[in-house]
Amino acid sequence: MNDIQRKIESEITDGDTTETNQGKTKGAVKETKSARASMRLLKEDKAFVVYWAEVFGMDSTELMMRGVRHYVAWRNQDFDLPTAEMQRLNQLIDAMENMASSNERLSNTVINGFDAMMGIMRGDNYLLEPENGDLVNERG
């Protein structure tokens, strides 16, 4: 995550608030450094936003602010790529998984081959049955 994204993330989570005193009776009031914008949503989309805001433990406004920032960053292809070490580690893990599955297939092939050879040596293989040359099944 770059510095700009960290700053935006901290502004969204912390609210980037400043306190002002409006006299002795009213106390301190927090003002956020965000602008107000209205948005029209379908009922289904509003329910979607409310649901996911509850799942992530934030209010709807914060979820929409983060969503807009995330979408713009994604469209600009501004996202973290794994380091070279992580890419190499993922490559090695994939190679090990491929080798394990290849070894399993080879093992099954060898076992099936030896089973077939043992069957031929015992004489109970369907390939050793005598035939008369006819392709018609003769079951009298």
Side-chain angles (χ1 to χ4, degrees):
M1 186 180 292
N2 61 27
D3 293 332
I4 296 171
Q5 287 175 334
R6 284 192 188 100
K7 182 177 182 264
I8 292 168
E9 184 77 21
S10 67
E11 286 177 0
I12 291 173
T13 39
D14 300 339
D16 199 11
T17 58
T18 57
E19 294 186 13
T20 59
N21 290 326
Q22 294 183 346
K24 296 179 181 176
T25 57
K26 294 186 180 181
V29 176
K30 290 188 175 183
E31 296 177 358
T32 60
K33 292 183 180 179
S34 61
R36 185 170 194 77
S38 61
M39 179 185 293
R40 187 173 300 272
L41 295 173
L42 298 173
K43 290 181 182 179
E44 297 86 21
D45 293 339
K46 176 65 176 170
F48 183 78
V49 169
V50 169
Y51 171 76
W52 283 107
E54 288 176 4
V55 168
F56 292 131
M58 58 182 76
D59 61 350
S60 300
T61 305
E62 184 180 355
L63 179 72
M64 288 191 282
M65 287 170 51
R66 287 185 183 208
V68 167
R69 297 274 183 191
H70 180 75
Y71 180 73
V72 169
W74 178 75
R75 290 293 294 193
N76 290 334
Q77 296 181 351
D78 184 20
F79 43 82
D80 292 332
L81 293 175
T83 62
E85 294 87 9
M86 291 301 296
Q87 289 177 347
R88 180 63 177 152
L89 183 62
N90 289 336
Q91 183 183 17
L92 290 173
I93 290 170
D94 288 340
M96 291 297 293
E97 289 174 354
N98 289 337
M99 191 182 313
S101 65
S102 175
N103 190 19
E104 184 179 349
R105 286 191 302 270
L106 180 62
S107 174
N108 288 339
T109 303
V110 169
I111 289 171
N112 290 338
F114 278 121
D115 285 345
M117 287 187 338
M118 291 300 291
I120 290 173
M121 284 189 251
R122 282 192 303 249
D124 59 352
N125 193 332
Y126 70 95
L127 296 174
L128 296 175
E129 295 176 359
E131 62 174 317
N132 59 4
D134 292 334
L135 296 177
V136 180
N137 193 1
E138 299 177 7
R139 293 189 183 181

